[in-house]
Amino acid sequence: MTMTKDNIVQFGLFYALLFPVFSFVPSPTNISVVCHNFVNVLYWNYSNPTEQLKFSVNVDPYESDSQTVDTSQTYLDISSYSRDASDDYLVSVTAHDGQEKSESVFIKFTYSKDYFHESKHKYKCSLDFPAVNTSVHKDVIEASFEHPLLLHKQDILRQEFVYTVTHDEQEFSYSCSVKDEMCTTEIHLKEGMAGQCNDLKFEGKIAGIPSHTYRNVCVPQQTPETDKTGLIAGLLGGGTIMLFIIVGVLWLLCRKWSKIPKIPEVLRGLIPGQSPTTQPELTDVSPMTSQRHTPLLTEESYDPPPNSLTEENCKANTIVSPSKGTVVDLPEVSEEDVNNDDFESFGWSSDYDSPKFLQEMSPGDITEGYGPRPPVL
């Protein structure tokens, strides 16, 4: 079979027309998207880069107009072109080398659960569930977290947040409004869960966007509560009794001290450091001059009778004051007194047994002395 000239011309024209479309510029490979918490980044690979190589990225939302962006990198943040998290997006990447371009590659992603289809959407976008705080009280777990709007700051989340909690193979549904700000719930556990750990799964959905998280909560072993009423009552009773005992002891001591008699005046002088309450009034005493003793009776003037006083008796009637250092003359004894029978007992008695009397030693100076004993009746 031979090819005619016309056939060759026709084949050349056909090849020339097809060359711009089916060029030798390779297409990007391994296209993927990471969409998490409303941050969407597109990635791809290219095997034959050149200096004039560029990539054209087209973002085509399902509910709005498409946009095209050119870049020389092998990735692109398309978050600003896919702000509506409730929409569905079809993204294509085409390589351009001068006037030539490659075939386009496509990828589809969405945050909305309403648009998601496993056969159409290779990548599933995710939204973080707010951080959950838990506390355990007996057989109840209290869980609390912020509304998703406060965490992600997206107006699309200004809706009611519906979520479920799964534990012990049971699922419980709850809801939280934006006005509440904090979402709280109580999870009641079965009896006998003390000392065991529970896996809690939180799943939520807002604006058609799903989110989930897991928490492992352990219930501490409950210690038996002791009745402290008896202990408190015992402490109060013991304290009251001790108070009464102390007050009673103090009262007895006070009464005992009040009954102790006062020290007599005589004993105060004997006890060292004690002095009588009343001191004798001190008087000014003028200095005394010593005087010589003059005998009252002499042998020349008086002949003593048989029972007359001897010189020793006269000396006995003369008193020397030990404290003053002076000599005191006793009154003279008359002859009648000597002849008196009672005088014999007086003469033989001690001078200190005689009664005291006052004697003027000098003008204004008076002292005490001992005189004759009065007659015994």
Side-chain angles (χ1 to χ4, degrees), residues 319-337:
I319 298 176
V320 180
S321 177
S323 61
K324 301 296 182 178
T326 57
V327 178
V328 180
D329 293 335
L330 296 177
E332 296 180 0
V333 181
S334 61
E335 184 176 354
E336 295 177 2
D337 294 332

Side-chain angles (χ1 to χ4, degrees), residues 134-136 138 141 189 193-200 215-221:
T134 58
S135 59
V136 182
K138 293 184 178 180
I141 299 177
L189 304 176
M193 296 296 293
Q196 300 182 12
C197 296
N198 299 269
D199 291 325
L200 305 179
R215 288 297 304 271
N216 184 268
V217 181
C218 296
V219 180
Q221 188 71 32

